[in-house]
Amino acid sequence: MRTLHNLRDEMLAVAQGTRPVPPVQPVTDGESVSGLLGLLTPANRALMHLIATERPETVSRLAQLASDVQSKT
């Protein structure tokens, strides 16, 4: 199993061009698909929208933005 540290190192190496981009691994089983779909809850989609549109520089700022949106609804 890959650790977060290993994944970070791999991503940095790909970004720096010292390692090729790994091939895309297809999702073939229902459990993987259901796990992915479980991440796409309305709350997570709203957070991804905030990140894409507001581009907060910190998690604290993202939390503040999310709180502001929540208080308006």
Side-chain angles (χ1 to χ4, degrees):
M1 184 159 88
R2 294 162 68 185
T3 66
L4 185 57
H5 181 73
N6 291 346
L7 181 58
R8 181 186 64 87
D9 289 348
E10 181 180 335
M11 291 172 65
L12 285 172
V14 169
Q16 294 168 346
T18 59
R19 181 178 181 150
V21 176
V24 174
Q25 298 294 324
V27 175
T28 56
D29 65 12
E31 187 174 317
S32 296
V33 172
S34 65
L36 177 61
L37 292 177
L39 295 174
L40 298 176
T41 63
N44 282 349
R45 289 196 321 265
L47 283 174
M48 288 186 280
H49 178 75
L50 275 175
I51 291 167
T53 57
E54 300 295 328
R55 303 184 62 79
E57 293 188 16
T58 65
V59 173
S60 297
R61 178 65 180 138
L62 176 59
Q64 181 182 26
L65 291 166
S67 176
D68 291 348
V69 168
Q70 184 67 28
S71 66
K72 291 179 184 177
T73 58

